[in-house]
Amino acid sequence: MTGTSSQQTTDLPPAWEPATVEAELYQRWVDAGYFTADPTSDKPPFCIVIPPPNVTGSLHMGHALEHSLMDALTRRRRMQGYEVLWLPGMDHAGIATQNVVERELAGEGKSRHDLGREAFVERVWQWKNESGGKILNQMRRMGDGVDWTRERFTMDEVLSRAVQTIFKRLFEDGLIYRAERIINWCPRCHTALSDIEVEHSDDEGELVSIRYGSPDDTGDHSIVVATTRAETMLGDTAVAVHPDDERYKHLVGTEVQLPLTGRMIPVVADEHVDPSFGTGAVKVTPAHDPNDFEIGQRHQLPALTIMDEHAVITAHGPFEGLDRFEARPAVVAALRAQGRIVAEKRPYVHSVGHCTRCGTVVEPRLSLQWFVKVEPLAKAAGDAVRDGRTTIHPPELAKRYFDWVDNMHDWCISRQLWWGHRIPVWYGPDDKVVCVGPDDEVPEGEGWHQDPDVLDTWFSSALFPFSTLGWPEQTRDLERFYPNQLLVTGYDILFFWVARMMMFGLYAMDGAQPFDHVFLHGLVRDPAGKKMSKSRGNVIDPLDWLDRFGADATRFTLARGANPGSDMAISEEWAGGSRNFGNKLWNATRFALMNGATTAREVPARDTLTDADRWILDLTDAVVSEVDDLYEDYQFAKLCDALYHFTWDELCDWYLELAKVQLAEGGDRADSTRAVLGHVFDVVLRLLHPLIPFVTERLWTTLTGGESLVIAEWPAASGHAADADAAGRVGGVQKLVTEIRRFRSDQGVKPGQRVPARLSGVDTAGLSALAPAMASLARLEAPGEAFTAGASLEVALAGGTVVVELDLSGTVDIAAERKRLAKDLAAARKELAGCDAKLGNPNFTDKAPAEVVAKIKGRREAAAADIDRITARLDTMPGS
């Protein structure tokens, strides 16, 4: 062991000030190379890749939570002797980044088309190099122990080579194809969107019921459909009903007239239709609705595109040139004029998709795009979890994973952008199509041109577990750290990112899963449990918390609320509590050091130690084992609570107070206590380091003289059998002291005031050795010759009953105390009467909200309890 003495406390200021030391400590860790992984090491590997944040991004609470958990896991593994690689990176964020630069250009009165593609991409790279990646510096402020020497960017040379390689392999294996399909289209960004780039909200609109066929209900050839997008009827090519719906069997196979157009469209039977919803008949617009597209495919219906990429009506007629939201009321008005409107419901609240980047309402649109054929890839991804190669934590979320991978649609991977990995496909004369790999020559000559689209950002992100390690080259990093041992990410991107990494990892790496374990955490919500959003004004900025409370308090607050797979609500009060915990740890360790706590001396044999020493050592062993078990199950909230309560309640509030008495004895007893203090604080600082690295580093290096907690060994339980008898006796002291403190408070004695007392039964209860500590903790002093037993209580313990008599003469002004208690009693009786009056009034109990009635009942119970307490106190006062 390394040693220390009380003289080293000069290194510790009186208070913990995070802002003065965090940046310096972090840079020292980086400069020392603690976070740099060695692929030649013979240690067992442990690799995590960071879910790459957008290059445009800034640290939000979701990032802060995720990074707090990942850092805790990697720091612990490093202390356990693993070769740890926590690999950082950023995503090029196609749409988001292009929008940022386009806004800059707009401020200059230009568009990307004024620059041209090549110059625009150069401008984006310039922005990335000058302004992008702010989040990386914010990760440093959080204390992220990542390997900065391996930082990756999804558009860098190595990752771009990986993208081009896997695209060509998938293309040649027939797993990438080009086809017309319905996709999410943003009329403002002019690109297809992935599902994760579409945010749904409940918007007000109108539901319009329209009669097709005969203009009224007198004929047999009419049918009513309902829609929230009346303008799309211009592209209808059928009406669909359920094949078993008796109401419409006579119409199936016939045609009805489509209003406003004069076209005749068929009535088809399709099991997709829900006969119990609405009229049981639905309009079919194959070019503008994904479900309608499927119906159209099954019935060989034409798909008529009636809007352009700006969502402007292109269908010939009076609505041509109108924006979709202008066309909607115009179409309804024209139908109303023909008597075709059967019913109108407004406002009608329904789910509407919006582009997450610009807020524009997304338009389903038939478009020629590139797709990944996911069926064989998704099956492999499902099998890897089913056969145990990859384990999902918590296990109940595996069902959600299977629901997605077992029912996945082909993935649209093309985006109509300029920033991103360009589709490596070239078109030439005579309809030639060539997919170009990273080592292939690009076709040249007249008539050859490259596909203008770029790949979905998630395509390159899906390669992250292996592309960041050098694939397709067989690098030492790839051999050493693939599969990744763990992925930590939010359950909300289980489908969008996790499933796709599984698909591509298994495909590219010959069936080897990208990670052995997937830990899914929940979302961070506001104190009321609501989702944070700028529109609600309830966003909590982690950078503000870092400034005000420090990184340790921010991290501990988030980890303490993290139950696997569950959302968590956070508040400023929690962060303040975590800061107070750091201060408590600082003050307690500083106190121990000032009193000579040391790791230079081995803890003496247990049979030479006091009950208090054996008790705290046993609790230390227990918390080591408990924390280990909880880490392996990713139970962060529980392990944080275990460490919090052990440190604050058992170590600081009890053992330090018991140790003061032992230190005061001097000699061997004091030396033993200093060794126990040093050992316990050494262990607790090691246990807490992954969660709160800065304050623990400063305290531990001072306590032990060691180089750094980052590379210190993770603690292990001693293996000693727990001393149940010692624990029982210390528990007896705790109960007795707690009861005496409560009794003193009831008697009006100030907390710090010493009171003469006489105790009987201490020896019988087996607590004689702990009597001095008990007296110190309860602020009792020996009875004098003039002792008067003015108040007494009995405390039943396992070994017998202890009687405590207190001499309150000179400690309490009995007359003043009686006057105060009488006033409190009157107020409690008045409160009770008021509550009884309300609860006895049927007009109140029958009409008031249930929560209001419950609140009054709670107040009544509190008032009744106060009356009992005060009355009992008055009865036991001297002179009663």
Side-chain angles (χ1 to χ4, degrees):
M1 286 190 179
T2 51
T4 187
S5 73
S6 60
Q7 288 153 351
Q8 287 177 291
T9 58
T10 54
D11 292 340
L12 292 179
W16 168 242
E17 298 291 345
T20 63
V21 295
E22 286 181 348
E24 179 185 347
L25 272 180
Y26 184 81
Q27 194 57 48
R28 184 169 71 82
W29 293 334
V30 173
D31 292 344
Y34 295 151
F35 305 141
T36 303
D38 179 6
T40 66
S41 164
D42 59 2
K43 297 177 182 179
F46 184 77
C47 179
I48 298 183
V49 295
I50 286 181
N54 287 353
V55 66
T56 60
S58 181
L59 192 73
H60 58 63
M61 275 301 181
H63 291 130
L65 166 65
E66 194 162 85
H67 288 225
S68 298
L69 304 185
M70 284 189 286
D71 195 46
L73 290 162
T74 52
R75 284 178 184 270
R76 174 173 175 264
R77 288 297 191 215
R78 190 178 291 110
M79 294 174 74
Q80 288 180 311
Y82 286 77
E83 190 62 42
V84 172
L85 172 56
W86 186 19
L87 198 149
M90 286 190 302
D91 192 289
H92 63 277
I95 293 179
T97 308
Q98 180 157 319
N99 282 348
V100 167
V101 178
E102 287 199 82
R103 282 195 295 269
E104 281 190 357
L105 289 173
E108 301 168 11
K110 300 177 183 176
S111 74
R112 61 181 163 123
H113 300 285
D114 294 324
L115 271 65
R117 184 167 192 147
E118 186 175 342
F120 176 76
V121 170
E122 287 180 6
R123 176 71 176 259
V124 179
W125 275 109
Q126 179 185 344
W127 176 89
K128 184 265 180 186
N129 294 331
E130 294 176 357
S131 306
K134 290 180 181 177
I135 195 170
L136 298 180
N137 289 327
Q138 294 160 359
M139 287 163 53
R140 292 173 178 267
R141 290 197 60 190
M142 285 289 297
D144 284 7
V146 298
D147 186 345
W148 292 110
T149 68
R150 288 173 165 85
E151 181 187 336
R152 295 289 183 258
F153 179 56
T154 50
M155 288 281 286
D156 68 25
E157 184 177 349
V158 173
L159 271 63
S160 295
R161 181 178 180 82
V163 168
Q164 203 170 350
T165 298
I166 200 166
F167 186 100
K168 183 172 182 180
R169 288 190 187 179
L170 289 163
F171 180 86
E172 291 180 343
D173 286 347
L175 295 174
I176 283 184
Y177 65 93
R178 195 181 190 212
E180 279 198 322
R181 295 285 187 272
I182 292 285
I183 45 87
N184 302 308
W185 180 264
C186 177
R188 187 255 172 229
C189 297
H190 295 161
T191 184
L193 303 175
S194 66
D195 290 338
I196 200 172
E197 292 164 328
V198 179
E199 186 174 68
H200 287 83
S201 61
D202 290 334
D203 294 3
E204 287 189 359
E206 67 173 344
L207 183 67
V208 181
S209 297
I210 309 167
R211 185 178 301 281
Y212 286 14
S214 302
D216 53 48
D217 60 0
T218 57
D220 290 335
H221 248 65
S222 73
I223 194 166
V224 176
V225 300
T227 181
T228 57
R229 301 162 65 216
E231 71 282 3
T232 62
M233 66 155 294
L234 301 172
D236 285 0
T237 57
V239 174
V241 298
H242 193 275
D244 298 331
D245 194 331
E246 294 293 338
R247 294 171 295 177
Y248 303 118
K249 279 195 171 182
H250 68 288
L251 290 177
V252 174
T254 69
E255 292 185 330
V256 294
Q257 188 182 62
L258 180 66
L260 306 182
T261 68
R263 285 191 289 111
M264 300 298 290
I265 59 176
V267 178
V268 300
D270 195 281
E271 292 188 351
H272 168 77
V273 179
D274 180 0
S276 65
F277 182 76
T279 65
V282 296
K283 58 191 289 301
V284 182
T285 320
H288 293 277
D289 183 275
N291 293 323
D292 293 3
F293 178 81
E294 298 295 333
I295 294 175
Q297 292 285 293
R298 287 192 288 271
H299 298 277
Q300 293 83 48
L301 300 173
L304 304 181
T305 300
I306 60 159
M307 294 184 212
D308 63 14
E309 65 272 17
H310 302 280
V312 171
I313 302 296
T314 57
H316 294 301
F319 311 106
E320 186 175 2
L322 293 180
D323 173 82
R324 56 183 166 163
F325 298 124
E326 297 172 332
R328 185 169 300 169
V331 167
V332 172
L335 291 167
R336 190 182 295 111
Q338 290 188 3
R340 296 282 187 172
I341 301 297
V342 176
E344 296 177 72
K345 183 178 181 181
R346 68 170 74 87
Y348 179 75
V349 178
H350 61 123
S351 180
V352 177
H354 298 259
C355 174
T356 57
R357 302 302 174 191
C358 68
T360 301
V361 173
V362 169
E363 188 66 37
R365 185 169 186 261
L366 186 63
S367 181
L368 183 62
Q369 302 284 347
W370 285 94
F371 294 85
V372 172
K373 184 179 180 181
V374 300
E375 183 178 2
L377 303 173
K379 181 182 183 304
D383 290 345
V385 175
R386 287 189 170 96
D387 64 25
R389 281 174 285 162
T390 297
T391 304
I392 292 178
H393 307 268
E396 56 266 24
L397 287 182
K399 181 181 182 301
R400 187 181 300 186
Y401 174 82
F402 292 133
D403 286 344
W404 280 331
V405 298
D406 294 345
N407 300 284
M408 196 181 295
H409 296 293
D410 285 359
W411 171 18
C412 176
I413 56 171
S414 47
R415 299 291 181 266
Q416 290 64 56
L417 304 171
W418 287 357
W419 171 245
H421 296 102
R422 195 162 174 184
I423 302 280
V425 171
W426 292 72
Y427 307 105
D430 302 321
D431 296 327
K432 290 180 181 178
V433 177
V434 176
C435 183
V436 177
D439 298 319
D440 298 337
E441 291 186 3
V442 173
E444 295 180 349
E446 186 177 350
W448 285 98
H449 65 280
Q450 187 177 0
D451 193 295
D453 290 351
V454 300
L455 287 164
D456 177 13
T457 296
W458 293 99
F459 189 95
S460 51
S461 297
L463 313 183
F464 223 64
F466 53 93
S467 65
T468 52
L469 300 175
W471 186 91
E473 305 302 324
Q474 294 304 305
T475 63
R476 286 193 304 180
D477 278 359
L478 188 65
E479 181 181 355
R480 186 86 169 99
F481 295 111
Y482 189 93
N484 302 169
Q485 280 63 51
L486 178 65
L487 173 73
V488 178
T489 192
Y491 68 72
D492 55 323
I493 57 172
L494 178 59
F495 168 68
F496 303 108
W497 191 44
V498 180
R500 289 166 178 177
M501 284 191 293
M502 289 289 287
M503 291 193 302
F504 278 5
L506 291 160
Y507 173 79
M509 300 299 294
D510 300 321
Q513 70 279 6
F515 14 74
D516 299 330
H517 298 272
V518 176
F519 167 57
L520 300 166
H521 60 77
L523 307 181
V524 183
R525 297 182 179 272
D526 75 2
K530 294 182 179 178
K531 185 177 179 180
M532 293 187 195
S533 69
K534 292 180 181 178
S535 60
R536 285 196 181 104
N538 64 343
V539 173
I540 301 174
D541 186 353
L543 299 176
D544 174 53
W545 278 19
L546 290 171
D547 289 338
R548 295 167 56 203
F549 304 113
D552 290 330
T554 300
R555 291 164 59 116
F556 196 73
T557 300
L558 293 166
R560 197 174 180 192
N563 289 297
S566 300
D567 292 350
M568 60 179 291
I570 59 168
S571 70
E572 190 169 295
E573 288 74 20
W574 284 28
S578 296
R579 176 191 55 198
N580 295 343
F581 176 61
N583 291 339
K584 183 83 168 181
L585 181 66
W586 179 271
N587 293 333
T589 310
R590 191 168 182 271
F591 167 82
L593 285 164
M594 290 174 67
N595 285 276
T598 180
T599 58
R601 184 182 294 110
E602 294 284 349
V603 175
R606 293 211 175 193
D607 58 3
T608 68
L609 299 175
T610 66
D611 282 344
D613 293 338
R614 290 196 293 274
W615 167 76
I616 196 64
L617 289 171
D618 289 344
L619 285 182
T620 303
D621 279 348
V623 80
V624 168
S625 299
E626 182 181 9
V627 166
D628 274 333
D629 289 343
L630 292 170
Y631 258 119
E632 295 304 319
D633 198 31
Y634 308 102
Q635 296 283 353
F636 284 94
K638 291 180 180 179
L639 73 89
C640 286
D641 266 356
L643 286 168
Y644 178 93
H645 289 296
F646 170 76
T647 304
W648 192 300
D649 301 342
E650 312 299 351
L651 176 56
C652 296
D653 285 357
W654 286 105
Y655 182 70
L656 283 187
E657 295 302 315
L658 293 167
K660 288 177 184 178
V661 179
Q662 298 177 177
L663 289 167
E665 292 183 25
D668 290 343
R669 175 67 67 226
D671 287 342
S672 295
T673 302
R674 293 184 182 104
V676 172
L677 278 170
H679 171 76
V680 174
F681 273 98
D682 177 20
V683 171
V684 79
L685 291 170
R686 291 173 194 252
L687 289 174
L688 283 166
H689 176 72
L691 298 160
I692 47 175
F694 292 105
V695 66
T696 51
E697 174 84 341
R698 187 71 176 87
L699 292 172
W700 185 85
T701 52
T702 304
L703 172 69
T704 67
E707 180 182 343
S708 174
L709 260 177
V710 178
I711 54 173
E713 288 186 9
W714 183 252
S718 68
H720 286 285
D723 188 335
D725 292 337
R729 288 187 287 270
V730 173
V733 170
Q734 289 177 311
K735 181 178 180 182
L736 187 55
V737 169
T738 300
E739 289 296 316
I740 294 172
R741 286 172 174 172
R742 181 192 59 76
F743 187 66
R744 285 168 50 105
S745 176
D746 287 345
Q747 301 302 315
V749 180
K750 295 178 181 177
Q753 188 172 10
R754 294 197 170 273
V755 179
R758 185 165 58 206
L759 281 72
S760 306
V762 172
D763 292 344
T764 305
L767 303 181
S768 54
L770 288 160
M774 183 171 54
S776 175
L777 289 164
R779 298 291 190 270
L780 304 180
E781 61 184 27
E785 293 182 5
F787 179 82
T788 301
S792 65
L793 80 155
E794 295 182 359
V795 182
L797 303 175
T801 298
V802 176
V803 178
V804 183
E805 297 174 289
L806 302 180
D807 183 352
L808 301 180
S809 58
T811 62
V812 178
D813 185 334
I814 300 299
E817 184 66 6
R818 278 187 171 278
K819 185 176 181 180
R820 183 186 69 81
L821 289 171
K823 183 178 179 182
D824 290 347
L825 182 60
R829 285 172 173 165
K830 183 179 179 181
E831 170 75 355
L832 180 66
C835 292
D836 282 341
K838 284 188 175 181
L839 294 172
N841 182 356
N843 288 332
F844 172 76
T845 55
D846 294 343
K847 296 179 181 179
E851 60 269 21
V852 174
V853 175
K855 184 177 181 181
I856 297 299
K857 287 181 178 178
R859 285 171 52 185
R860 187 196 183 284
E861 290 175 5
D866 284 344
I867 292 170
D868 291 342
R869 178 181 56 80
I870 297 168
T871 302
R873 168 77 178 96
L874 287 167
D875 289 344
T876 60
M877 289 186 71
S880 297

